[in-house]
Every structure is written in structure tokens, then in C-alpha cells.
Amino acid sequence: MFTDGSGGMELAGAGFVDTGYVKKRSNEAVPIGLKIGSTRTVLVMPNYEGSLDIVRTLTCVARYRDLFTGKLATKFGDEAAEEYADSVYFMFRAGLPQDDDSVKLAAQFIEYLVYRYNIPENSYVTLAHPAVENERGRKNLKEIISGMSIGRTGRQAWSEAFCGAIPAFEGLEAIKKTFMSVNMGSTTLEISAFRNGEPVHTVTLGTISGNLVDRKIRLGVQNETQGIVNIDLNTARKYKEEFANFIDYKPVYDSVHIHDRGQYGFKIEKSIMKPVEEYVNNVIEAIMENFFPQLAQDHYQTYKRVLTEPIILTGGMACIPGLRERIQQMLCDELEQKVTVISSERPDLAPAIGAFRISEYTLNYKE
């Protein structure tokens, strides 16, 4: 956990905000939860109605030259992706920023959020971040946190895998537990064991990710249509998010205008679920071959304990209907014992909601 000492919610009750203006708040310090993901950023804060405003936007920037002034200008988030899909840059696609330019863009992106959604300076901010595997990434993360204009009351950063597990428990019960969390993100698979809020053992794999699933879907659609249809990665991601389903998958019908063919209708039968099924098999393999053996060797009692507690799934891939049940059954079969796998109602929003709860608790504790 990084800190900067400067200056039980149910998701159904939250106000979901994709765009728009978040109301100004009182002079009291406001708890903020922020998750800056490789694909999407989620911001959680309270509103006057006593529920939560949840803002979700793409973590990207587009640079272009203003035709009138001739100067370079920038657009961020969903607007950038919609208008400049061919050149938009996702600052966190490779994990935490590793160079000065990416750090600068990340800082500008945060200030865009501050301005766009009127986030008060008088706030306590908890940032949910992916696993930090190198010193440069750790240094850049500290720089980004310390440079924020918000969080005058305080700032801290916690593991995204831990924050994402918090909404699956009551309140902040996760801090008192020993459990295992599987963060199924866009760029990495992060498997962690936590004991009283501290990571005991973590395995991070960039070879198992939601982005790789998107690439396979894109290639699969091309192959399934004999090379006639070529979709971009954003479309592949939308297919996955809208249609992937382990419970009741149905073939997807779509159409596109093709040169010399006119409007061309096509059917997708295997190109969506096959990559998703491969992803789940790879997750099980990573847990059984990479995570459990090392955890059992170094922390045997923790290993035994996590098998008796619910295993938490978090991250965007965990939103696929039936995926949680599939992983639970496969783990039971592999371990030859009963294990329980759970997730929050919205695993993709869970890290930011968990970060918000930490900020809320910290402010109440200070009082």
C-alpha cells in the first residue's frame, strides 16, 4: 500500500453516470474511490441523495491538431475513442506507465476527470492499482498520486485485486480475512492471497488477459467469414461483453457494408465463446500450476485456509454470465474437494467501489 498523508453500499442503489455533471458537495471532505484500468477508469463518490455516483469512461487520450490555432489539442475518455478510434492511445495498456510521457498523460487524464465531474479538492482518494512489478512503475505510481489536485485530506493506493474483493464481503470485512482473489483484467491475470489486508503471495500473468481474448475474437470472426469481415478490437470487445455467455449462448447475427457486395449479413457461431472458453481453461491452469504450488510451499497454512474461504473473482472478464459457476466447478474437479467461488454484483466496478469504502472508512476513523 502506498500512502500520501497530505493535506455497506448496495450497487443497486448507486446512480450510474457515463457522462454528465456530478453535483457540488458540501465543505466536508468527500471519500473518493478511483480505479484507473488499462481499458476503463471507474470513479465512485457519494451524492446528495445518499447513494453513489459511479462514473465509467475509457482510459485513453487522442491528440490532434486544432485547425484554427494550429496547436496540438487532446481529448480523453469515451469522446476520444469515438472520434479518433484509429489513433486513440490507452495510457495503461502495458500496465503502469513506464516513461515520462505516459506519466504526464496519466496526470492529464486524472485532471480531466477532476474538471469533467467536478471532483472536490477537499477529498480523500483511494486509488485501486494493478500489481506493481518493477521499481520504475512503483516510482511513477507515487508521482501520479502525489501530483493529483484532489485528495487534499489524504491519498493512498491499494492493490486492485484486494479492492475488487471488498464488495463481495460485508463492509470492510475483507481486511480481517484470509482469502484468495482472482483479478481478471484487460491486460493481466492477477491471482493473490491476502491475510488481514496484506498480500501473502501474488502471481501476475500478462499471457492471460481480456485483450488477448478480444484479439482472438477478431481473428475468429475473420476466419469464420472466410476473410470477408474484418472487425476492429473495440468491436471484438463489444461482442465479448454483449454476447459471451456460458449459460445460454446464442449465435450472433450482424451485418456490414462490403465493397462490391453491398450490405453483407453474417453469423458468428464459435468465434466468441471459443476464445472465452480457452481463457477460462488458462485461468484454471494458472491457478493449479503457477499459484497453488508456490503458495503451499511458502505459506502452507494460508494455502489450506484460502480453500475453506470463498475465492473472489473480480475484473471485467468476471462479468460474463456463467463464468463464475464454470470456474467453481472446474476448481472443484481439479482439487477433488468443494470450493466456493463468488463475486460482487458488478465485478468490473468492484475495485473502485472497494476503494471508495476504504476512503469512507478512513475519513470516519479520522473523525
Side-chain angles (χ1 to χ4, degrees):
M1 179 184 73
F2 304 133
T3 61
D4 182 343
S6 60
M9 188 278 305
E10 292 295 331
L11 185 61
F16 189 88
V17 180
D18 273 309
T19 57
Y21 182 82
V22 176
K23 298 177 181 178
K24 288 189 176 181
R25 296 162 178 81
S26 68
N27 292 326
E28 295 181 358
V30 175
I32 303 291
L34 179 62
K35 176 237 174 179
I36 303 179
S38 56
T39 298
R40 285 193 177 94
T41 288
V42 182
L43 170 71
V44 179
M45 50 193 164
N47 58 33
Y48 280 130
E49 284 72 34
S51 59
L52 297 180
D53 287 323
I54 301 180
V55 175
R56 189 175 70 158
T57 188
L58 292 170
T59 312
C60 61
V61 58
R63 286 171 165 170
Y64 64 98
R65 193 167 296 279
D66 189 289
L67 293 178
F68 292 101
T69 66
K71 295 181 179 179
L72 281 176
T74 55
K75 287 192 176 183
F76 296 94
D78 293 347
E79 185 180 14
E82 289 170 5
E83 294 188 27
Y84 294 92
D86 55 335
S87 60
V88 70
Y89 174 58
F90 286 80
M91 297 87 74
F92 284 68
R93 260 296 149 80
L96 290 172
Q98 297 296 313
D99 57 73
D100 293 340
D101 189 49
S102 294
V103 171
K104 182 179 179 181
L105 286 173
Q108 290 176 351
F109 177 72
I110 291 175
E111 292 312 305
Y112 155 79
L113 293 175
V114 171
Y115 175 78
R116 179 73 175 81
Y117 299 106
N118 192 36
I119 307 173
E121 291 183 10
N122 186 20
S123 54
Y124 194 100
V125 179
T126 298
L127 174 68
H129 66 81
V132 185
E133 297 185 318
N134 57 73
E135 189 56 37
R136 182 63 186 269
R138 190 181 300 271
K139 175 180 176 294
N140 289 340
L141 176 61
K142 289 182 178 179
E143 183 177 336
I144 291 169
I145 294 173
S146 62
M148 294 190 302
S149 63
I150 54 176
R152 190 174 67 193
T153 304
R155 312 179 188 106
Q156 59 180 318
W158 287 69
S159 160
E160 183 180 329
F162 179 74
C163 290
I166 289 175
F169 295 104
E170 290 293 329
L172 285 177
E173 189 180 342
I175 291 180
K176 303 174 184 178
K177 284 185 171 290
T178 297
F179 65 92
M180 172 181 162
S181 173
V182 183
N183 184 24
M184 311 171 84
S186 296
T187 56
T188 61
L189 175 72
E190 186 180 348
I191 313 168
S192 302
F194 293 96
R195 182 175 56 208
N196 296 326
E198 294 290 337
V200 175
H201 179 58
T202 296
V203 169
T204 304
L205 299 170
T207 55
I208 306 173
S209 70
N211 287 344
L212 291 176
V213 172
D214 299 343
R215 293 190 183 101
K216 289 180 180 180
I217 291 175
R218 178 186 183 184
L219 181 61
V221 170
Q222 183 179 0
N223 292 335
E224 200 166 342
T225 60
Q226 289 77 48
I228 297 174
V229 177
N230 293 284
I231 61 174
D232 57 34
L233 287 175
N234 282 333
T235 301
R237 172 176 49 81
K238 289 179 180 178
Y239 279 168
K240 176 187 69 181
E241 293 175 349
E242 292 180 22
F243 303 116
N245 191 320
F246 281 98
I247 300 172
D248 185 27
Y249 176 74
K250 295 180 176 63
V252 175
Y253 295 87
D254 207 345
S255 63
V256 65
H257 193 88
I258 303 292
H259 181 64
D260 293 335
R261 287 177 177 262
Q263 198 69 13
Y264 177 79
F266 59 95
K267 180 171 72 169
I268 306 170
E269 290 189 287
K270 301 178 180 178
S271 301
I272 296 175
M273 285 308 297
K274 183 179 178 182
V276 174
E277 288 169 352
E278 290 176 353
Y279 173 85
V280 169
N281 292 336
N282 290 335
V283 169
I284 297 300
E285 183 178 326
I287 292 172
M288 296 303 301
E289 297 185 9
N290 295 82
F291 183 74
F292 277 152
Q294 194 64 45
L295 178 64
Q297 179 177 317
D298 297 341
H299 308 278
Y300 183 73
Q301 292 303 320
T302 299
Y303 162 73
K304 298 295 286 185
R305 182 70 177 273
V306 299
L307 293 179
T308 65
E309 295 286 344
I311 297 171
I312 315 299
L313 300 186
T314 185
M317 290 294 293
C319 293
I320 296 174
L323 181 142
R324 178 186 64 80
E325 293 85 350
R326 175 68 64 90
I327 287 182
Q328 176 173 286
Q329 185 58 56
M330 292 178 74
L331 283 177
C332 289
D333 293 343
E334 290 286 338
L335 293 165
E336 297 183 345
Q337 70 176 81
K338 181 175 174 58
V339 294
T340 302
V341 178
I342 65 173
S343 65
S344 65
E345 186 177 345
R346 284 290 300 269
D348 55 334
L349 306 180
I353 295 172
F356 167 80
R357 288 189 183 176
I358 291 174
S359 290
E360 186 178 46
Y361 174 83
T362 304
L363 281 175
N364 291 336
Y365 181 79
K366 282 187 173 186
E367 293 174 359

